[in-house]
């Protein structure tokens, strides 16, 4: 019948496609030595090339030169500089500032007491020597409360010093409290729970070549108003004789006009860039990709639901981390009536070429034998 004949022709074409890819893999295995040498060269080149963006913490690894007053600029923006410091340095500065203020006002109290009667209790009661002046300075600034030591109301200079130290102490407390609060509430650690795939893939999808990466978030309180961007940094060769290269920056469209760049990470999401005529990756192949220095930076921004603060998570993929002819496997499925996400498969890929299941293969084989 016509239906059987049509099904038979489809079966032969599918089986033919299966044998074609089997032969292709066999032919590729004959060139394993060449491919191994090529991979070794790629690994050596990648090990000696610094990334633009660190994958561990998402920070820039670009070295800044030609700025003579760089540290002066950082000092002017002192609050941001202090926030970016590590906690160990923050605690050292915390201790240093308080000790410095206590020592400074201890010297001032020592001079005040020395001027007013050489420690005859005419200004501050029962304070003797520099050690006593230091203790009195700590008690005054920390507002612990005086014991036997107290300031006489007739001591005008002591009253002025008391007011100054109280104001300075309140200012230091405000700055340090604001610094610690800003560091604690900073949503930088929120990005640690956002997981990116270890590789990016390029393959044919519905007749179009696409670049894809996958993102997942295992926390139940998902990042809200989340959107993503892809930027490509291409160190292009402009002069082969002098090996001169120029860094070009391209914005890869991931659906800005259609709204596909806005995400909700309830389950892992695949970010797709269509490689068409307008894409800077148009016409690129696996071989040409390895000959160029390319790094694709992924920027994810959103708001933390608990605090409303903006969080930014970044990662990057070099040309050695972009795989051709592979696609990501499914990570979300229903089991026993419950949706489950297997994050261990977030970076797992399979071949993107056409294939059929063993049961379909047996059915098609028996069909061909029947109608042959």
């Amino acid at each position: 019948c016509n239906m059987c004949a049509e099904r038979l022709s489809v079966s032969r074409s599918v089986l033919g496609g299966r044998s074609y890819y089997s032969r292709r893999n066999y032919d590729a295995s004959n060139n394993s030595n060449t491919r191994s040498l090529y991979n070794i060269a790629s690994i050596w080149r990648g090990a000696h090339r610094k990334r633009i963006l660190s994958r561990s913490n998402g920070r820039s690894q670009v070295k800044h030169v030609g700025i003579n007053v760089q540290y002066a600029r950082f000092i002017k923006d002192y609050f941001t500089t202090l926030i970016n410091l590590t906690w160990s340095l923050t605690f050292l500065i915390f201790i240093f500032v308080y000790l410095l203020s206590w020592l400074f006002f201890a010297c001032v109290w020592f001079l005040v007491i020395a001027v007013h009667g050489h420690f005859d209790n005419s200004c501050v009661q029962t304070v003797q020597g520099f050690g006593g002046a230091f203790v009195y300075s700590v008690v005054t600034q920390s507002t612990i409360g005086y014991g036997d030591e107290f300031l006489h109301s007739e001591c005008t200079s002591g009253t002025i010093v008391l007011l100054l130290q109280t104001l300075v102490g309140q200012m230091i407390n405000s700055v340090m409290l604001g610094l610690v609060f800003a560091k604690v509430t900073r949503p930088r650690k929120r990005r640690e729970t956002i997981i990116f795939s270890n590789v990016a893939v390029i393959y044919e999808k519905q007749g179009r070549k696409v670049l894809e990466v996958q993102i997942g978030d295992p926390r139940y309180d998902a990042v809200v108003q989340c959107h993503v961007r892809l930027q490509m940094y291409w160190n292009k060769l402009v002069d082969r004789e002098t090996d001169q290269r120029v860094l070009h920056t391209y914005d890869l469209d991931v659906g800005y006009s259609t709204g596909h760049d806005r995400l909700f990470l309830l389950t892992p999401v695949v970010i797709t860039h269509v490689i068409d005529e307008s894409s800077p990756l148009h016409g690129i192949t696996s071989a040409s990709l390895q000959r160029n220095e390319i790094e694709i930076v992924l920027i994810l921004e959103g708001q933390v639901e608990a605090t409303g603060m903006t969080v930014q998570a970044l990662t990057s993929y070099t040309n050695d981390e972009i795989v051709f002819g592979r696609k990501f496997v499914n990570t979300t499925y229903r089991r026993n009536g419950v949706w489950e996400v297997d994050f261990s498969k977030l970076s797992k890929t399979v071949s993107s070429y056409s294939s059929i299941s063993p049961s379909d293969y047996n059915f098609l084989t028996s069909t061909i034998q029947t109608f042959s």
Side-chain angles (χ1 to χ4, degrees):
C1 59
N2 294 332
M3 182 181 299
C4 297
E6 182 179 359
R7 188 169 188 177
L8 176 61
S9 62
V10 172
S11 303
R12 293 181 185 273
S13 63
V14 173
L15 289 176
R18 184 183 182 93
S19 61
Y20 165 74
Y21 289 117
S22 300
R23 288 196 301 269
R24 192 180 67 86
N25 294 333
Y26 175 78
D27 294 337
S29 65
N30 293 333
N31 297 325
S32 59
N33 294 332
T34 303
R35 188 170 64 252
S36 299
L37 293 176
Y38 185 78
N39 291 338
I40 292 174
S42 300
I43 294 173
W44 183 90
R45 185 177 63 252
H48 289 76
R49 187 175 69 237
K50 195 80 170 180
R51 304 176 71 100
I52 293 179
L53 191 75
S54 173
R55 298 196 70 177
S56 59
N57 54 21
R59 292 188 177 182
S60 171
Q61 297 192 118
V62 178
K63 183 179 180 181
H64 297 164
V65 297
I67 304 179
N68 297 327
V69 292
Q70 180 179 6
Y71 295 105
R73 294 175 182 268
F74 289 165
I75 293 175
K76 290 181 180 179
D77 187 17
Y78 66 93
F79 193 75
T80 304
T81 303
L82 291 175
I83 291 178
N84 289 331
L85 293 178
T86 60
W87 276 106
S88 57
L89 289 176
T90 302
F91 282 122
L92 287 177
I93 293 175
F94 185 89
I95 295 172
F96 175 78
V97 169
Y98 276 103
L99 285 178
L100 184 63
S101 64
W102 292 338
L103 287 172
F104 173 76
F105 281 100
C107 295
V108 175
W109 283 116
F110 183 82
L111 293 176
V112 170
I113 296 171
V115 170
H116 290 76
H118 300 283
F119 305 102
D120 59 354
N121 297 330
S122 62
C123 191
V124 180
Q125 184 71 27
T126 67
V127 173
Q128 301 292 330
F130 182 79
F134 179 78
V135 173
Y136 188 78
S137 173
V138 174
V139 171
T140 300
Q141 185 168 328
S142 58
T143 65
I144 295 176
Y146 297 122
D148 295 332
E149 302 88 357
F150 62 90
L151 178 67
H152 290 283
S153 59
E154 296 83 5
C155 185
T156 305
S157 58
T159 303
I160 295 175
V161 174
L162 177 65
L163 292 175
L164 289 177
Q165 185 171 8
T166 303
L167 293 175
V168 171
Q170 292 295 330
M171 183 64 67
I172 294 175
N173 291 337
S174 301
V175 173
M176 290 301 170
L177 179 62
L179 175 62
V180 173
F181 180 78
K183 289 182 69 68
V184 170
T185 58
R186 195 178 186 186
R188 172 173 290 184
K189 293 301 181 181
R190 178 62 178 87
R191 68 187 183 192
E192 300 294 335
T193 59
I194 299 175
I195 306 176
F196 301 95
S197 59
N198 295 329
V199 296
V201 296
I202 295 179
Y203 69 100
E204 293 284 344
K205 182 179 182 180
Q206 298 178 353
R208 301 181 301 176
K209 184 178 289 187
V210 296
L211 166 73
E212 290 186 347
V213 296
Q214 191 162 209
I215 308 174
D217 185 7
R219 293 187 68 96
Y220 289 103
D221 50 340
V223 178
V224 298
Q225 296 185 4
C226 185
H227 60 276
V228 67
R229 292 184 61 188
L230 278 181
Q231 283 193 335
M232 185 177 70
Y233 295 85
W234 191 338
N235 195 18
K236 282 189 176 182
L237 180 66
V238 296
D239 192 346
R240 294 185 178 274
E241 295 182 357
T242 60
D243 196 25
Q244 181 182 359
R245 295 178 180 269
V246 177
L247 183 64
H248 295 263
T249 305
Y250 301 95
D251 200 15
L252 302 182
D253 185 15
V254 290
Y256 306 131
S257 59
T258 60
H260 288 88
D261 62 318
R262 293 184 286 273
L263 313 175
F264 184 64
L265 297 178
L266 187 62
T267 60
V269 178
V270 176
I271 309 301
T272 304
H273 165 68
V274 179
I275 305 177
D276 52 14
E277 291 78 6
S278 61
S279 172
L281 291 173
H282 180 67
I284 197 168
T285 62
S286 178
S288 63
L289 179 66
Q290 295 298 329
R291 290 194 299 265
N292 292 277
E293 294 184 15
I294 293 177
E295 185 166 349
I296 298 176
V297 177
L298 189 151
I299 307 106
L300 184 143
E301 290 183 348
Q303 290 184 355
V304 180
E305 184 181 8
T307 62
M309 302 184 69
T310 302
V311 61
Q312 187 180 76
L314 298 92
T315 190
S316 68
Y317 302 92
T318 62
N319 49 347
D320 298 325
E321 297 163 344
I322 302 175
V323 184
F324 271 77
R326 309 284 294 183
K327 63 180 180 180
F328 293 109
V329 301
N330 183 35
T331 58
T332 306
Y333 49 90
R334 186 186 291 273
R335 177 181 295 177
N336 298 327
V338 179
W339 286 105
E340 294 183 358
V341 176
D342 189 355
F343 282 94
S344 64
K345 298 180 179 180
L346 193 71
S347 300
K348 187 176 181 181
T349 61
V350 295
S351 175
S352 62
Y353 299 111
S354 301
S355 61
I356 58 176
S357 63
S359 59
D360 292 336
Y361 178 78
N362 295 331
F363 171 77
L364 295 174
T365 303
S366 60
T367 304
I368 291 175
Q369 293 176 353
T370 302
F371 290 95
S372 297

